[in-house]
Amino acid sequence: MDKNAKIYVAGHAGLAGSAVVRALQAKGYTNLVLRTHQELDLLDESATKAFFESEKPEYVIQCAARVGGIIANSTYPADFLIENLKIQNNVIWNAHLLGVKKLVFVSSAAIYPQEAPQPVKEEYLLSGPFAPAHEAYAVAKIAGMTLCKKLSTQYGKTFISVVPTNLYGPNDRFDKEQGHVVPGLLQRMHEAKQSGDPTFTVWGTGNARREFLYADDFADAILFLFETYDKPEFLNVGVGEDISIRELAEKVQSVVGYTGELVYDTSKPEGPQRRLLDSGRLHQLGWKHSTPLDEGLEKAYEWFVAHKTQHVT
């Protein structure tokens, strides 16, 4: 790719999008098209169409989405479904109409069945029921992936989809109501430390297992595939190993420096007992992550402390 190629990163202010921007800039890409939500509402079909007609990006990385943790997904399923469908359709379809050369669509591991065999291979898609809390979000993401694939097969587009495991890092959503597990633990444990709380409550038994990928590693995978991959089949993006939520909480405790006791509220939901992606296809192509979890948590916490007055809600 030409380093001066015009690249539109949709959702550049979020966790994944901001990491993609950092990765592109580090590799010398200089002609990036970025719009905040205030500058361009991707829910607005006519505004999105006008943007594509005016800017005419050559490449698109579609990271924009309404995202949230288990509470948000359970509380606002209709909103998650309709908003993500609108965002995806507006970006992907206008990219098609305006002749974008290549598009990468960022999906989610929530697309897989709740009881899928572990680790989860790409072919397990639609082989069983979704996790109830994430059904609406999963349906929207699968629709986006399907649109990319059908545009590839019907019109010869190079529109590819990637399915990341749980991401964390700078610009994560530090929101106790709608955030994911890593930012939620970092924020709440930081506050517990500041308040001198003797105990800290973790939702669930702590036995559920999850896989975590540092956002900048994910961005590196995006660029790797952007430059080397052109098949319509989607790919998982993960690290290939998982840990229990109990182990994660203990790591966060060490990073934050919280000295109180961790207690587990078994009355709270914790989702599937295990979610680990099989990223063997991507690894065989030559990409693997480079940031160990301990190092990534340190970086995420440093970013949170530096920006917490703006981002804590």
Side-chain angles (χ1 to χ4, degrees):
M1 284 173 53
D2 181 356
K3 289 295 192 290
N4 292 316
K6 182 177 279 192
I7 304 172
Y8 170 45
V9 182
H12 77 282
L15 172 62
S18 62
V20 167
V21 170
R22 289 193 296 273
L24 286 166
Q25 292 173 337
K27 286 204 169 188
Y29 291 98
T30 58
N31 194 5
L32 305 185
V33 182
L34 310 174
R35 293 290 187 278
T36 64
H37 177 70
Q38 290 72 29
E39 294 169 329
L40 173 61
D41 183 0
L42 294 175
L43 293 169
D44 186 328
E45 183 177 358
S46 60
T48 307
K49 183 174 185 290
F51 163 77
F52 272 87
E53 290 175 341
S54 173
E55 289 294 337
K56 297 180 175 61
E58 298 172 73
Y59 301 92
V60 172
I61 301 176
Q62 160 50 8
C63 301
R66 176 165 180 172
V67 299
I70 190 170
I71 299 176
N73 276 273
S74 300
T75 307
Y76 310 106
D79 302 76
F80 272 78
L81 177 59
I82 194 64
E83 290 185 20
N84 281 298
L85 286 172
K86 285 182 177 180
I87 291 168
Q88 296 162 190
N89 289 345
N90 288 340
V91 172
I92 297 169
W93 191 249
N94 279 291
H96 157 60
L97 293 178
L98 271 296
V100 165
K101 296 177 182 177
K102 190 169 188 176
L103 178 145
V104 178
F105 173 65
V106 177
S107 184
S108 165
I111 64 170
Y112 288 116
Q114 179 170 245
E115 301 300 331
Q118 302 291 321
V120 184
K121 299 178 182 291
E122 288 90 346
E123 54 263 37
Y124 297 163
L125 179 67
L126 297 177
S127 62
F130 303 112
H134 298 288
E135 179 183 16
Y137 183 66
V139 168
K141 286 298 185 180
I142 291 172
M145 294 165 63
T146 304
L147 180 56
C148 287
K149 185 173 183 179
K150 298 310 177 184
L151 285 169
S152 297
T153 55
Q154 182 178 343
Y155 292 101
K157 298 290 183 179
T158 308
F159 284 18
I160 66 175
S161 299
V162 295
V163 178
T165 190
N166 296 292
L167 302 179
Y168 70 99
N171 287 305
D172 211 337
R173 190 167 188 176
F174 291 91
D175 184 317
K176 287 180 284 190
E177 292 297 323
Q178 301 191 45
H180 289 100
V181 59
V182 168
L185 285 173
L186 284 170
Q187 178 190 343
R188 292 198 302 114
M189 210 173 291
H190 175 82
E191 292 176 355
K193 174 187 173 183
Q194 297 297 100
S195 302
D197 296 341
T199 62
F200 178 88
T201 301
V202 181
W203 278 29
T205 64
N207 296 326
R209 301 185 67 84
R210 294 290 183 271
E211 176 186 28
F212 299 98
L213 176 66
Y214 190 59
D216 290 75
D217 284 357
F218 176 59
D220 183 65
I222 290 276
L223 265 62
F224 173 80
L225 293 171
F226 214 83
E227 297 174 341
T228 64
Y229 188 76
D230 59 5
K231 296 180 180 179
E233 290 77 22
F234 70 91
L235 292 172
N236 289 339
V237 184
V239 303
E241 59 185 31
D242 58 4
I243 67 167
S244 71
I245 298 301
R246 184 181 298 271
E247 293 173 288
L248 175 67
E250 290 170 354
K251 286 180 180 294
V252 170
Q253 182 178 25
S254 176
V255 166
V256 172
Y258 173 68
T259 57
E261 179 187 1
L262 303 183
V263 296
Y264 294 84
D265 184 349
T266 58
S267 70
K268 298 294 186 181
E270 58 185 359
Q273 281 302 293
R274 192 183 189 203
R275 181 176 288 150
L276 171 65
L277 297 185
D278 185 330
S279 301
R281 291 182 183 176
L282 175 58
H283 294 164
Q284 288 173 5
L285 293 174
W287 181 88
K288 289 191 176 181
H289 77 290
S290 60
T291 306
L293 182 57
D294 289 342
E295 179 184 337
L297 290 174
E298 289 278 2
K299 290 180 177 179
Y301 184 58
E302 288 174 4
W303 185 92
F304 166 71
V305 170
H307 298 82
K308 62 186 178 65
T309 55
Q310 291 92 344
H311 291 267
V312 173
T313 58

